[in-house]
Amino acid sequence: MSTSSEDGVNLHIPRKFKLGHERNAGAPCLLCGPVKCEGGLDLHFWRKICKTCKCKPEEHDIKSVEEEAHKLVVHSLFSENSPVGHIRDYFRKIEEANKNKGQESEYAKQYAWVPPGLQQGVLMKYMESLPPEVKPKVGSDGAKYRRKQMMYQLPIHDHDENYCDSLSEPEKASMRQFCDDRNQNALGVGDVREKTNPVSKWTCHRCSKNINLGEIAVFASRAGENKCWHPGCFVCSVCNNILVDLIYFFKDGAIYCGRHYAEKYKPRCAACDELIFSREYTQAEDRNWHRKHFCCYECDLDLGGLLYVARDGHPHCMQCYNRLYAKKCFDCHEIINADAQRIEYEGEFWHANDACFKCGMCRRSLIGKQFLRHPKKNQIFCSTECAKSY
């Protein structure tokens, strides 16, 4: 572990996170079910995970909150005052769609989301060209996939400082500058078109297959007017997920979702999932952490300057790790602390000392010596003679 400066040892007292816990509380976990996630979502103060089951909020059934957050993100991205022409155009399409809410065609009403401003025939072809598992039909797995991707690809804390945990004024200024630069220089929305000209040649930029007459393609103006993708190929270059609501970010010849574009420029805290805008932060386990968030995954003890054990990438203080995961000694049946030496053989564990790792018959130490284990007598011995005599 390395930090930019030395930390003291103290307890981290969590502050109530600004995203209202109460309105999400109790939402059932879609992964764990009611047995493991008893009582439903109980959001951690700043980790953005459920304290009960450790799943993320988007794994819980909080549809209205997900949609609300996504609308706020879209509103922060697209503005009628944007200096970028296609951003202003998309804003107008959204505004028009909102004005006509409730007047959509019966076909469009089947879906939780459709690209705004498309003619009915083009819309139908676009939706039918999506892979079945991601079509956002109301109440379907595809709609659940979209909601999950909304929160994953465009987390609101990447776009609105009010959803971040206690940013300092310099951090807020840095975040605003980052957001402005991103929105002006990288943000785009896929343009859905039908190929109607038999002479023009459209080739998918991802799979390199031709797009035939009458088929649908998605164009990204920031990538160049000649680059297009099959709807199912319009994916993030890092996570390979279909770009939610066709929103992309372009850099160096590649398209990204919001999450992975941001991570090209800013480290992301492995604990709270927010981008790090401070100069000082902790690097451990090949990941980045706010200094105040490098804490025990179970009890939130500040781990600066302390020994810890990582499990599944999450740091644990020694006390919590020993309580939850430490092995028990085959001989004395006591816990083998994580920082203690141990011996493992055929799935059993011993303290690596003379008192525990010894012959079951004559009680002589077996440290550094040959031994045998009798499967029926379930003991280790220094010799066949001791094994027979046991």
Side-chain angles (χ1 to χ4, degrees):
M1 179 188 77
S2 65
T3 61
S4 49
S5 64
E6 211 170 56
D7 289 327
V9 179
N10 52 62
L11 280 172
H12 179 81
I13 307 300
R15 183 183 61 82
K16 187 171 182 179
F17 185 61
K18 292 181 181 178
L19 183 62
H21 292 70
E22 290 78 9
R23 63 182 175 177
N24 302 338
C29 182
L30 300 174
L31 288 182
C32 300
V35 176
K36 183 176 179 181
C37 190
E38 185 178 358
L41 178 63
D42 182 9
L43 194 63
H44 188 278
F45 293 104
W46 46 261
R47 288 189 192 274
K48 301 179 184 63
I49 59 171
C50 176
K51 290 191 288 185
T52 305
C53 67
K54 300 292 192 290
C55 290
K56 295 180 179 179
E58 57 263 37
E59 304 293 357
H60 293 74
D61 193 14
I62 50 174
K63 303 182 185 66
S64 60
V65 176
E66 292 166 345
E67 292 286 356
E68 177 187 341
H70 187 59
K71 287 177 182 177
L72 290 172
V73 170
V74 172
H75 179 74
S76 73
L77 291 174
F78 300 99
S79 166
E80 61 181 339
N81 299 318
S82 172
V84 183
H86 71 265
I87 300 301
R88 294 194 302 272
D89 292 343
Y90 189 71
F91 176 84
R92 286 192 286 269
K93 288 181 180 179
I94 294 174
E95 289 289 286
E96 188 67 25
N98 288 336
K99 287 179 185 177
N100 297 326
K101 195 71 175 174
Q103 302 176 30
E104 309 97 324
S105 67
E106 291 302 314
Y107 181 82
K109 288 178 181 178
Q110 299 179 67
Y111 294 94
W113 170 87
V114 296
L118 291 185
Q119 294 181 348
Q120 177 84 348
V122 178
L123 172 61
M124 293 175 69
K125 285 189 175 183
Y126 170 76
M127 302 308 286
E128 292 306 313
S129 62
L130 290 173
E133 64 274 13
V134 302
K135 287 181 186 177
K137 277 197 170 184
V138 174
S140 69
D141 288 341
K144 292 178 184 176
Y145 172 85
R146 174 178 173 264
R147 292 199 306 271
K148 183 177 179 180
Q149 290 302 314
M150 287 188 314
M151 297 187 74
Y152 178 74
Q153 295 184 24
L154 298 168
I156 194 169
H157 45 269
D158 280 12
H159 302 269
D160 189 336
E161 65 192 53
N162 294 311
Y163 287 81
C164 297
D165 183 41
S166 304
L167 293 182
S168 66
E169 288 304 318
E171 288 173 321
K172 290 179 181 179
S174 179
M175 181 176 183
R176 291 179 200 131
Q177 184 63 55
F178 170 78
C179 291
D180 288 344
D181 290 344
R182 175 197 61 201
N183 296 353
Q184 290 188 27
N185 300 315
L187 171 65
V189 182
D191 182 18
V192 177
R193 303 180 198 170
E194 179 184 5
K195 185 177 180 182
T196 58
N197 186 347
V199 178
S200 60
K201 184 177 181 180
W202 292 5
T203 303
C204 178
H205 188 60
R206 184 168 189 254
C207 71
S208 300
K209 293 181 180 179
N210 289 334
I211 295 170
N212 301 317
L213 189 68
E215 292 183 342
I216 296 296
V218 179
F219 285 78
S221 59
R222 288 200 186 265
E225 287 301 321
N226 296 324
K227 287 190 174 65
C228 63
W229 290 257
H230 289 108
C233 291
F234 196 58
V235 300
C236 172
S237 298
V238 176
C239 63
N240 291 318
N241 289 317
I242 287 182
L243 292 162
V244 67
D245 295 4
L246 297 172
I247 297 171
Y248 71 88
F249 299 84
F250 182 79
K251 182 65 177 178
D252 297 332
I255 54 174
Y256 300 90
C257 68
R259 171 178 292 273
H260 291 113
Y261 174 84
E263 289 174 8
K264 286 177 65 65
Y265 297 96
K266 296 291 180 182
R268 186 179 297 279
C269 179
C272 73
D273 196 51
E274 294 173 19
L275 298 173
I276 299 174
F277 292 99
S278 58
R279 292 184 177 181
E280 295 183 342
Y281 59 94
T282 297
Q283 291 182 315
E285 306 302 319
D286 296 323
R287 303 166 87 183
N288 303 302
W289 318 71
H290 287 110
R291 289 178 61 204
K292 64 182 179 181
H293 289 164
F294 189 65
C295 303
C296 174
Y297 192 58
E298 293 295 330
C299 71
D300 288 343
L301 176 71
D302 188 334
L303 294 176
L306 299 180
L307 288 175
Y308 70 90
V309 180
R311 183 178 174 87
D312 299 327
H314 302 296
H316 292 71
C317 70
M318 302 302 288
Q319 184 175 357
C320 285
Y321 184 87
N322 289 335
R323 174 173 57 86
L324 295 171
Y325 305 114
K327 305 297 183 182
K328 285 191 175 181
C329 178
F330 179 83
D331 185 79
C332 72
H333 307 295
E334 297 293 326
I335 284 176
I336 305 174
N337 290 335
D339 57 344
Q341 289 187 323
R342 71 185 187 190
I343 295 172
E344 178 182 0
Y345 183 70
E346 292 185 350
E348 300 291 354
F349 299 86
W350 292 260
H351 286 102
N353 57 40
D354 296 337
C356 291
F357 195 64
K358 59 184 182 292
C359 176
M361 180 63 193
C362 69
R363 319 305 285 174
R364 285 190 300 177
S365 171
L366 296 177
I367 298 289
K369 299 176 183 177
Q370 289 187 335
F371 65 92
L372 59 92
R373 184 178 185 185
H374 197 291
K376 292 183 179 179
K377 297 182 179 180
N378 197 27
Q379 265 292 358
I380 54 173
F381 301 98
C382 63
S383 64
T384 54
E385 289 76 11
C386 276
K388 290 177 182 178
S389 301
Y390 184 77

